[in-house]
Amino acid sequence: MKQGERFGFIQSAIKEGDLTTVAAILDGQPFLSGLKPEEWSTARVLASEKFAPQSIKEREAVTKLMQAVDLAGGEVLTRFAKVQGGTDTPRAKANRELAKLKKGVA
């Protein structure tokens, strides 16, 4: 098969739902099928969307969830750093000394 026809061939196989052919092409390395690496990657995405749409949706949802957790974790660390930084302010020191005086520990 000519170089220019290979990607079109796999696109047709995906569109027609020919899982056996698509799997045979995509289960190997790109050079085995004669596809360029970017064509092979695109074909994998197209095949995933055709043959495993639910998995694609779930993966996207998990990715968004992980991003939200990372964002929240960063926010918690930022707030914690502010709290930690506030322990040695003059006001914080004065409050600790006042607390000691109230307890009679001075």
Side-chain angles (χ1 to χ4, degrees):
M1 188 174 289
K2 294 180 183 176
Q3 178 68 31
E5 298 173 355
R6 294 174 186 164
F7 187 68
F9 174 76
I10 193 168
Q11 281 182 309
S12 295
I14 292 168
K15 185 177 179 182
E16 294 170 12
D18 185 355
L19 182 58
T20 304
T21 300
V22 173
I25 294 169
L26 296 179
D27 279 345
Q29 296 295 320
F31 70 88
L32 294 174
S33 63
L35 292 172
K36 297 175 186 174
E38 58 274 0
E39 291 174 331
W40 187 79
S41 294
T42 302
R44 287 187 64 86
V45 170
L46 295 173
S48 297
E49 291 170 349
K50 172 71 176 184
F51 298 111
Q54 184 62 32
S55 295
I56 296 293
K57 289 177 186 174
E58 290 171 358
R59 183 177 183 182
E60 289 172 357
V62 168
T63 299
K64 286 180 183 177
L65 180 61
M66 289 172 53
Q67 290 171 345
V69 168
D70 285 344
L71 183 63
E75 186 63 30
V76 166
L77 289 176
T78 300
R79 290 181 183 187
F80 182 72
K82 286 181 182 177
V83 169
Q84 286 295 95
T87 58
D88 288 334
T89 62
R91 182 179 185 136
K93 289 177 186 177
N95 285 338
R96 282 196 300 274
E97 293 301 319
L98 283 173
K100 286 180 187 178
L101 288 172
K102 287 181 183 177
K103 292 180 182 180
V105 181

